[in-house]
mmCIF file of all heavy atoms in Angstrom:
data_model
loop_
_atom_site.group_PDB
_atom_site.id
_atom_site.type_symbol
_atom_site.label_atom_id
_atom_site.label_comp_id
_atom_site.label_asym_id
_atom_site.label_seq_id
_atom_site.Cartn_x
_atom_site.Cartn_y
_atom_site.Cartn_z
ATOM 1 N N ARG A 249 9.585 11.855 -27.036
ATOM 2 C CA ARG A 249 8.160 11.662 -26.707
ATOM 3 C C ARG A 249 7.922 10.281 -26.111
ATOM 4 O O ARG A 249 7.023 9.555 -26.541
ATOM 5 C CB ARG A 249 7.254 11.926 -27.891
ATOM 6 C CG ARG A 249 5.785 12.099 -27.530
ATOM 7 C CD ARG A 249 4.916 12.071 -28.748
ATOM 8 N NE ARG A 249 3.510 12.053 -28.424
ATOM 9 C CZ ARG A 249 2.820 10.973 -28.079
ATOM 10 N NH1 ARG A 249 3.427 9.802 -27.937
ATOM 11 N NH2 ARG A 249 1.515 11.062 -27.785
ATOM 12 N N TYR A 250 8.681 9.901 -25.063
ATOM 13 C CA TYR A 250 8.492 8.669 -24.404
ATOM 14 C C TYR A 250 7.770 8.901 -23.051
ATOM 15 O O TYR A 250 7.812 9.992 -22.517
ATOM 16 C CB TYR A 250 9.817 8.000 -24.126
ATOM 17 C CG TYR A 250 10.633 7.567 -25.347
ATOM 18 C CD1 TYR A 250 11.995 7.631 -25.367
ATOM 19 C CD2 TYR A 250 9.943 7.062 -26.484
ATOM 20 C CE1 TYR A 250 12.728 7.231 -26.480
ATOM 21 C CE2 TYR A 250 10.676 6.666 -27.632
ATOM 22 C CZ TYR A 250 12.059 6.761 -27.595
ATOM 23 O OH TYR A 250 12.760 6.326 -28.682
ATOM 24 N N LEU A 251 7.139 7.849 -22.578
ATOM 25 C CA LEU A 251 6.635 7.831 -21.218
ATOM 26 C C LEU A 251 7.773 7.520 -20.251
ATOM 27 O O LEU A 251 8.711 6.766 -20.562
ATOM 28 C CB LEU A 251 5.526 6.758 -21.066
ATOM 29 C CG LEU A 251 4.287 6.921 -21.976
ATOM 30 C CD1 LEU A 251 3.564 5.577 -22.059
ATOM 31 C CD2 LEU A 251 3.400 8.006 -21.418
ATOM 32 N N ILE A 252 7.652 8.008 -19.021
ATOM 33 C CA ILE A 252 8.650 7.799 -18.011
ATOM 34 C C ILE A 252 8.294 6.522 -17.187
ATOM 35 O O ILE A 252 7.234 6.458 -16.617
ATOM 36 C CB ILE A 252 8.829 8.987 -17.073
ATOM 37 C CG1 ILE A 252 9.155 10.263 -17.870
ATOM 38 C CG2 ILE A 252 9.889 8.706 -16.034
ATOM 39 C CD1 ILE A 252 9.067 11.521 -17.032
ATOM 40 N N SER A 253 9.273 5.602 -17.022
ATOM 41 C CA SER A 253 9.104 4.502 -16.094
ATOM 42 C C SER A 253 10.197 4.680 -14.996
ATOM 43 O O SER A 253 11.381 4.442 -15.268
ATOM 44 C CB SER A 253 9.292 3.182 -16.797
ATOM 45 O OG SER A 253 9.210 2.084 -15.843
ATOM 46 N N TYR A 254 9.794 5.096 -13.809
ATOM 47 C CA TYR A 254 10.747 5.254 -12.686
ATOM 48 C C TYR A 254 11.097 3.912 -12.115
ATOM 49 O O TYR A 254 10.204 3.182 -11.680
ATOM 50 C CB TYR A 254 10.112 6.136 -11.647
ATOM 51 C CG TYR A 254 9.865 7.588 -12.066
ATOM 52 C CD1 TYR A 254 8.574 8.033 -12.235
ATOM 53 C CD2 TYR A 254 10.925 8.480 -12.291
ATOM 54 C CE1 TYR A 254 8.343 9.365 -12.579
ATOM 55 C CE2 TYR A 254 10.702 9.787 -12.650
ATOM 56 C CZ TYR A 254 9.416 10.222 -12.819
ATOM 57 O OH TYR A 254 9.188 11.525 -13.202
ATOM 58 N N GLU A 255 12.398 3.618 -12.068
ATOM 59 C CA GLU A 255 12.818 2.342 -11.571
ATOM 60 C C GLU A 255 13.993 2.427 -10.569
ATOM 61 O O GLU A 255 15.114 1.982 -10.856
ATOM 62 C CB GLU A 255 13.176 1.366 -12.738
ATOM 63 C CG GLU A 255 11.995 1.119 -13.631
ATOM 64 C CD GLU A 255 12.333 0.282 -14.839
ATOM 65 O OE1 GLU A 255 13.375 -0.387 -14.828
ATOM 66 O OE2 GLU A 255 11.533 0.296 -15.819
ATOM 67 N N PRO A 256 13.768 2.997 -9.415
ATOM 68 C CA PRO A 256 14.838 3.045 -8.394
ATOM 69 C C PRO A 256 15.242 1.647 -7.974
ATOM 70 O O PRO A 256 14.404 0.772 -7.720
ATOM 71 C CB PRO A 256 14.173 3.829 -7.227
ATOM 72 C CG PRO A 256 12.698 3.621 -7.426
ATOM 73 C CD PRO A 256 12.495 3.567 -8.913
ATOM 74 N N TYR A 257 16.523 1.437 -7.920
ATOM 75 C CA TYR A 257 17.080 0.113 -7.549
ATOM 76 C C TYR A 257 16.511 -1.001 -8.392
ATOM 77 O O TYR A 257 16.255 -2.147 -7.894
ATOM 78 C CB TYR A 257 16.854 -0.163 -6.040
ATOM 79 C CG TYR A 257 17.676 0.747 -5.147
ATOM 80 C CD1 TYR A 257 17.067 1.733 -4.435
ATOM 81 C CD2 TYR A 257 19.081 0.611 -5.040
ATOM 82 C CE1 TYR A 257 17.781 2.608 -3.583
ATOM 83 C CE2 TYR A 257 19.786 1.446 -4.237
ATOM 84 C CZ TYR A 257 19.163 2.434 -3.482
ATOM 85 O OH TYR A 257 19.875 3.302 -2.677
ATOM 86 N N ASN A 258 16.288 -0.747 -9.662
ATOM 87 C CA ASN A 258 15.830 -1.805 -10.606
ATOM 88 C C ASN A 258 14.625 -2.575 -10.072
ATOM 89 O O ASN A 258 14.686 -3.774 -9.844
ATOM 90 C CB ASN A 258 16.961 -2.755 -10.953
ATOM 91 C CG ASN A 258 18.080 -2.087 -11.728
ATOM 92 O OD1 ASN A 258 17.780 -1.390 -12.717
ATOM 93 N ND2 ASN A 258 19.331 -2.278 -11.331
ATOM 94 N N PHE A 259 13.531 -1.838 -9.887
ATOM 95 C CA PHE A 259 12.235 -2.377 -9.471
ATOM 96 C C PHE A 259 12.092 -2.596 -7.956
ATOM 97 O O PHE A 259 11.055 -2.983 -7.496
ATOM 98 C CB PHE A 259 11.879 -3.710 -10.159
ATOM 99 C CG PHE A 259 11.898 -3.680 -11.675
ATOM 100 C CD1 PHE A 259 12.774 -4.501 -12.377
ATOM 101 C CD2 PHE A 259 11.031 -2.849 -12.371
ATOM 102 C CE1 PHE A 259 12.773 -4.471 -13.736
ATOM 103 C CE2 PHE A 259 11.012 -2.860 -13.724
ATOM 104 C CZ PHE A 259 11.884 -3.644 -14.438
ATOM 105 N N LYS A 260 13.159 -2.443 -7.217
ATOM 106 C CA LYS A 260 13.150 -2.831 -5.810
ATOM 107 C C LYS A 260 13.046 -1.637 -4.867
ATOM 108 O O LYS A 260 13.025 -1.783 -3.649
ATOM 109 C CB LYS A 260 14.361 -3.658 -5.455
ATOM 110 C CG LYS A 260 14.406 -4.990 -6.217
ATOM 111 C CD LYS A 260 15.578 -5.841 -5.790
ATOM 112 C CE LYS A 260 16.910 -5.328 -6.260
ATOM 113 N NZ LYS A 260 17.036 -5.325 -7.770
ATOM 114 N N GLY A 261 13.068 -0.375 -5.380
ATOM 115 C CA GLY A 261 13.106 0.776 -4.510
ATOM 116 C C GLY A 261 11.813 1.533 -4.447
ATOM 117 O O GLY A 261 10.776 1.156 -4.985
ATOM 118 N N HIS A 262 11.908 2.693 -3.763
ATOM 119 C CA HIS A 262 10.782 3.613 -3.628
ATOM 120 C C HIS A 262 11.070 4.894 -4.465
ATOM 121 O O HIS A 262 12.266 5.236 -4.694
ATOM 122 C CB HIS A 262 10.580 3.994 -2.173
ATOM 123 C CG HIS A 262 10.077 2.876 -1.313
ATOM 124 N ND1 HIS A 262 8.763 2.727 -1.006
ATOM 125 C CD2 HIS A 262 10.767 1.849 -0.702
ATOM 126 C CE1 HIS A 262 8.600 1.639 -0.240
ATOM 127 N NE2 HIS A 262 9.803 1.097 -0.051
ATOM 128 N N LEU A 263 10.031 5.606 -4.830
ATOM 129 C CA LEU A 263 10.231 6.864 -5.524
ATOM 130 C C LEU A 263 11.094 7.842 -4.680
ATOM 131 O O LEU A 263 11.877 8.608 -5.234
ATOM 132 C CB LEU A 263 8.884 7.540 -5.772
ATOM 133 C CG LEU A 263 8.035 6.933 -6.899
ATOM 134 C CD1 LEU A 263 6.626 7.571 -6.885
ATOM 135 C CD2 LEU A 263 8.714 7.140 -8.251
ATOM 136 N N THR A 264 10.971 7.714 -3.404
ATOM 137 C CA THR A 264 11.758 8.610 -2.492
ATOM 138 C C THR A 264 13.220 8.263 -2.511
ATOM 139 O O THR A 264 14.015 9.050 -1.908
ATOM 140 C CB THR A 264 11.224 8.483 -1.077
ATOM 141 O OG1 THR A 264 11.125 7.087 -0.696
ATOM 142 C CG2 THR A 264 9.804 9.082 -0.972
ATOM 143 N N ASP A 265 13.624 7.168 -3.123
ATOM 144 C CA ASP A 265 15.021 6.798 -3.176
ATOM 145 C C ASP A 265 15.847 7.671 -4.169
ATOM 146 O O ASP A 265 17.039 7.701 -4.074
ATOM 147 C CB ASP A 265 15.214 5.339 -3.566
ATOM 148 C CG ASP A 265 14.765 4.400 -2.479
ATOM 149 O OD1 ASP A 265 14.881 4.752 -1.310
ATOM 150 O OD2 ASP A 265 14.267 3.270 -2.827
ATOM 151 N N PHE A 266 15.146 8.295 -5.144
ATOM 152 C CA PHE A 266 15.893 9.183 -6.032
ATOM 153 C C PHE A 266 15.109 10.499 -6.255
ATOM 154 O O PHE A 266 14.534 10.716 -7.297
ATOM 155 C CB PHE A 266 16.324 8.550 -7.335
ATOM 156 C CG PHE A 266 15.286 7.887 -8.196
ATOM 157 C CD1 PHE A 266 13.945 7.993 -7.981
ATOM 158 C CD2 PHE A 266 15.727 7.137 -9.322
ATOM 159 C CE1 PHE A 266 13.040 7.410 -8.829
ATOM 160 C CE2 PHE A 266 14.818 6.583 -10.177
ATOM 161 C CZ PHE A 266 13.462 6.699 -9.950
ATOM 162 N N PRO A 267 15.093 11.367 -5.203
ATOM 163 C CA PRO A 267 14.307 12.564 -5.256
ATOM 164 C C PRO A 267 14.680 13.542 -6.365
ATOM 165 O O PRO A 267 13.802 14.207 -6.887
ATOM 166 C CB PRO A 267 14.544 13.170 -3.852
ATOM 167 C CG PRO A 267 15.819 12.590 -3.353
ATOM 168 C CD PRO A 267 15.846 11.214 -3.928
ATOM 169 N N MET A 268 15.997 13.585 -6.741
ATOM 170 C CA MET A 268 16.383 14.531 -7.809
ATOM 171 C C MET A 268 15.837 14.067 -9.154
ATOM 172 O O MET A 268 15.327 14.837 -9.947
ATOM 173 C CB MET A 268 17.916 14.656 -7.838
ATOM 174 C CG MET A 268 18.473 15.387 -6.672
ATOM 175 S SD MET A 268 20.234 15.723 -6.798
ATOM 176 C CE MET A 268 20.918 14.063 -6.641
ATOM 177 N N THR A 269 15.881 12.778 -9.423
ATOM 178 C CA THR A 269 15.366 12.223 -10.638
ATOM 179 C C THR A 269 13.828 12.473 -10.728
ATOM 180 O O THR A 269 13.304 12.904 -11.733
ATOM 181 C CB THR A 269 15.645 10.723 -10.769
ATOM 182 O OG1 THR A 269 17.064 10.570 -10.900
ATOM 183 C CG2 THR A 269 14.945 10.087 -11.949
ATOM 184 N N LEU A 270 13.133 12.150 -9.623
ATOM 185 C CA LEU A 270 11.707 12.347 -9.593
ATOM 186 C C LEU A 270 11.325 13.805 -9.794
ATOM 187 O O LEU A 270 10.382 14.114 -10.554
ATOM 188 C CB LEU A 270 11.105 11.876 -8.282
ATOM 189 C CG LEU A 270 9.623 12.019 -8.041
ATOM 190 C CD1 LEU A 270 8.835 11.250 -9.073
ATOM 191 C CD2 LEU A 270 9.215 11.582 -6.641
ATOM 192 N N ALA A 271 12.030 14.686 -9.127
ATOM 193 C CA ALA A 271 11.712 16.112 -9.255
ATOM 194 C C ALA A 271 11.868 16.625 -10.669
ATOM 195 O O ALA A 271 11.009 17.373 -11.169
ATOM 196 C CB ALA A 271 12.593 16.942 -8.320
ATOM 197 N N TYR A 272 12.930 16.210 -11.355
ATOM 198 C CA TYR A 272 13.139 16.645 -12.738
ATOM 199 C C TYR A 272 12.134 16.007 -13.675
ATOM 200 O O TYR A 272 11.601 16.674 -14.582
ATOM 201 C CB TYR A 272 14.560 16.308 -13.180
ATOM 202 C CG TYR A 272 14.937 16.960 -14.491
ATOM 203 C CD1 TYR A 272 14.902 18.324 -14.680
ATOM 204 C CD2 TYR A 272 15.359 16.185 -15.557
ATOM 205 C CE1 TYR A 272 15.268 18.924 -15.869
ATOM 206 C CE2 TYR A 272 15.773 16.772 -16.772
ATOM 207 C CZ TYR A 272 15.729 18.126 -16.894
ATOM 208 O OH TYR A 272 16.088 18.730 -18.098
#
Side-chain angles (χ1 to χ4, degrees):
R249 196 192 172 278
Y250 295 145
L251 299 162
I252 303 171
S253 177
Y254 293 111
E255 297 177 18
Y257 293 108
N258 293 312
F259 304 118
K260 297 184 289 294
H262 291 264
L263 286 171
T264 51
D265 290 328
F266 55 10
M268 290 186 291
T269 294
L270 177 61
Y272 191 57

